[in-house]
Every structure is written in structure tokens, then in C-alpha cells.
């Protein structure tokens, strides 16, 4: 269907679920509890620290200072600001992926090409991580920059929502460029099927339903014609016995 649509900006979006094991992830409170217990055990067992701080200060370090320094809020901030750690732990939010191929089939260069992908958490192309800009709750814009005529860009997006092919969910996707240019996109499942490009268009579904209804009507009409011809043939082979009796 995308090949039949007018305009030069087009995209194919393939959605697929991204299943993870139950309980996958890391809670800041769990990290905090582990570090506090580990540090407290070492503080009480460290002879040098007892000689430096004294027994009372050593106990205060154990009871007050360590729990305050290594609380869940500090751990949460650490996870957020240490980007490699945040990238690894963010996988626990992934519920589905969207593999997107954007093409400029027109004759002019398009500027500021962007696509809105609902619940986007992370995006990557061939050169690395692509920035995601939140537009409103649940929606995020991915800026693809300028696209020359004939140029194609591939991008993978990890989403925090499961793959949903309902008209409402698909309607949240959008593609466009500067100067009010709107793009054409198809949202398909991981396992494509012949005619899958029609599944997101309401008019296309009605067209397919109409064709199926016409085919069914033609089949019934053909069956009725065959039965009628068969009845006439039997009537010729077996004359009316009532008429014969009256003739006698």
C-alpha cells in the first residue's frame, strides 16, 4: 500500500513483542539494602577503624552514617546518572520493538524528518543511539534529520508497551517533515502476510469485505443456476406421470 500512496516520505514499521523473564530488572532499594548490610559488617569487623574512631564512633558509623549515605535515593540517582549502568538496567522496561525503515521517494530533499513512536524508550540506527524527545505523556518524537531524494534510514526502537495493532494504537504513530509534509507509513506485525498493508486502513477492510461478499453471492448464484438446470434435466427425463394417467 505504501508504494501506491502519493508523496515521497514513506515508512514501514514492523512491531514485535520483546518478552523478558518475570522479575527482570534491578530495584534501587535492593541495591541499597545489600550495600548497607555489606558496609555495616565491614565497619564492625575492621580493627583499624575501631582504633581510629573509637568504639562509640564506630557504632554511630554503623547505625546512622552508612544507612544515610547509601539510601535508595542515592542509588537511584547513581543508576540514572551513570549512563552505561542506566542503559543496561533500562532493558527491564522493554516490552516490544519497532523496526522502522523510512524512505524519501520524492524528488526533493526533506528537512527535519521526524516520527512519533508511542512509548519509545530507546532508539538506535546504524551509527548508534538516536535521541528521543518526549512530546506528551506516552508519545515521543524521533528526529531523523534531513533526507535527500532516494535516501533510506533504518532505525530500531524499543518500547515500554506491548505490541498493539488496534486502530487506536496505530493511530498514535505519525511521520512528517518540515513545511507541513505528512508521510505515509504502514504498521505491520513481525509475521507479514499477503495484503497486511491493508489491515490499518478502514476503507481497505470494507473493500475486502465487499469483495468477499460479492464472491459469496456469485458462488450462491452459480449454485442456484446448477440446481435449476439439474431440475429441468430431470423433468425432461421423467415426464409428469399425472398427465399420463389422465390421458388414459
Amino acid at each position: 500500500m505504501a508504494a501506491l500512496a502519493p508523496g515521497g516520505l514513506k515508512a514501514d514499521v514492523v512491531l514485535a513483542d520483546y518478552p523478558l523473564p518475570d522479575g527482570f530488572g534491578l530495584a534501587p532499594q535492593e541495591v541499597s539494602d545489600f550495600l548497607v548490610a555489606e558496609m555495616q559488617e565491614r565497619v564492625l569487623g575492621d580493627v583499624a577503624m575501631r582504633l581510629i574512631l573509637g568504639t562509640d564512633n564506630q557504632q554511630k558509623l554503623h547505625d546512622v552514617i552508612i544507612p544515610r549515605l547509601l539510601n535508595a535515593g542515592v542509588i537511584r540517582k547513581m543508576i540514572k546518572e551513570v549512563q552505561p549502568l542506566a542503559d543496561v538496567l533500562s532493558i527491564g522496561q522493554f516490552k516490544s520493538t519497532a523496526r522502522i525503515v523510512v524512505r524519501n521517494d520524492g524528488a526533493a530533499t526533506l528537512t527535519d524528518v521526524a516520527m512519533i513512536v508511542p512509548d519509545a524508550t530507546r532508539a538506535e540506527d546504524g551509527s548508534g543511539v538516536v535521541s528521543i524527545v518526549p512530546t506528551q505523556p506516552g508519545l515521543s518524537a524521533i528526529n531523523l534529520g534531513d533526507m535527500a531524494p532516494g535516501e533510506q534510514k533504518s532505525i530500531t526502537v524499543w518500547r515500554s508497551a506491548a505490541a498493539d495493532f488496534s486502530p487506536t494504537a496505530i493511530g498514535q504513530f505519525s511521520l512528517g517533515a518540515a513545511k507541513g509534509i505528512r508521510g505515509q507509513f504502514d504498521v505491520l506485525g513481525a509475521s507479514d502476510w499477503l495484503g497486511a498493508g491493508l489491515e490499518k486502513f478502514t476503507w481497505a477492510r470494507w473493500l475486502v469485505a465487499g469483495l468477499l461478499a460479492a464472491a459469496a453471492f456469485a458462488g450462491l448464484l452459480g449454485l442456484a443456476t446448477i440446481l435449476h438446470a439439474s431440475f429441468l434435466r430431470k423433468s425432461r427425463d421423467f415426464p409428469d406421470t399425472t398427465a399420463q394417467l389422465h390421458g388414459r
Side-chain angles (χ1 to χ4, degrees), residues 114-138:
M115 186 168 190
I116 292 181
V117 179
D119 303 298
T121 302
R122 182 181 176 87
E124 291 183 359
D125 60 10
S127 59
V129 177
V130 178
S131 63
I132 299 176
V133 181
T135 57
Q136 53 181 294

Side-chain angles (χ1 to χ4, degrees), residues 30-49:
E30 294 180 7
V31 179
S32 173
D33 292 343
F34 172 81
L35 290 178
V36 167
E38 185 72 14
M39 293 295 292
Q40 286 176 330
E41 181 179 352
R42 295 194 177 193
V43 164
L44 292 181
D46 194 302
V47 177
M49 192 169 294

Side-chain angles (χ1 to χ4, degrees), residues 27-196:
Q29 187 62 53
E30 294 180 7
V31 179
S32 173
D33 292 343
F34 172 81
L35 290 178
V36 167
E38 185 72 14
M39 293 295 292
Q40 286 176 330
E41 181 179 352
R42 295 194 177 193
V43 164
L44 292 181
D46 194 302
V47 177
M49 192 169 294
R50 183 183 302 114
L51 294 175
I52 295 172
L53 297 177
T55 304
D56 291 341
N57 289 332
Q58 185 185 31
Q59 193 64 42
K60 290 178 181 178
L61 180 63
H62 175 278
D63 296 339
V64 180
I65 297 177
I66 290 178
R68 288 182 63 84
L69 291 178
L70 298 176
N71 60 68
V74 173
I75 301 301
R76 187 178 294 108
K77 187 172 184 293
M78 178 192 70
I79 293 174
K80 181 179 180 180
E81 295 186 356
V82 179
Q83 193 59 47
L85 181 59
D87 291 341
V88 172
L89 296 181
S90 64
I91 193 174
Q93 305 175 23
F94 300 162
K95 299 295 187 296
S96 65
T97 60
R99 291 185 286 112
I100 305 171
V101 177
V102 182
R103 306 182 305 277
N104 179 9
D105 293 340
T109 298
L110 301 177
T111 59
D112 295 331
V113 178
M115 186 168 190
I116 292 181
V117 179
D119 303 298
T121 302
R122 182 181 176 87
E124 291 183 359
D125 60 10
S127 59
V129 177
V130 178
S131 63
I132 299 176
V133 181
T135 57
Q136 53 181 294
L139 297 181
S140 302
I142 299 174
N143 189 2
L144 302 177
D146 300 341
M147 294 187 66
E151 185 176 359
Q152 175 176 297
K153 293 187 177 182
S154 299
I155 184 172
T156 301
V157 180
W158 287 266
R159 305 171 60 236
S160 59
D164 186 353
F165 299 94
S166 66
T168 300
I170 292 177
Q172 293 181 319
F173 287 82
S174 64
L175 175 67
K179 300 180 181 180
I181 296 176
R182 295 181 63 86
Q184 167 70 42
F185 65 93
D186 289 341
V187 179
L188 308 174
S191 299
D192 199 1
W193 57 280
L194 183 60

Side-chain angles (χ1 to χ4, degrees), residues 168-232:
T168 300
I170 292 177
Q172 293 181 319
F173 287 82
S174 64
L175 175 67
K179 300 180 181 180
I181 296 176
R182 295 181 63 86
Q184 167 70 42
F185 65 93
D186 289 341
V187 179
L188 308 174
S191 299
D192 199 1
W193 57 280
L194 183 60
L198 299 175
E199 63 186 3
K200 62 181 284 293
F201 299 103
T202 303
W203 63 266
R205 291 197 296 268
W206 280 109
L207 176 62
V208 172
L211 291 174
L212 291 176
F217 177 76
L220 291 175
L221 184 61
L223 179 60
T225 302
I226 293 173
L227 292 176
H228 180 67
S230 176
F231 176 76
L232 292 179

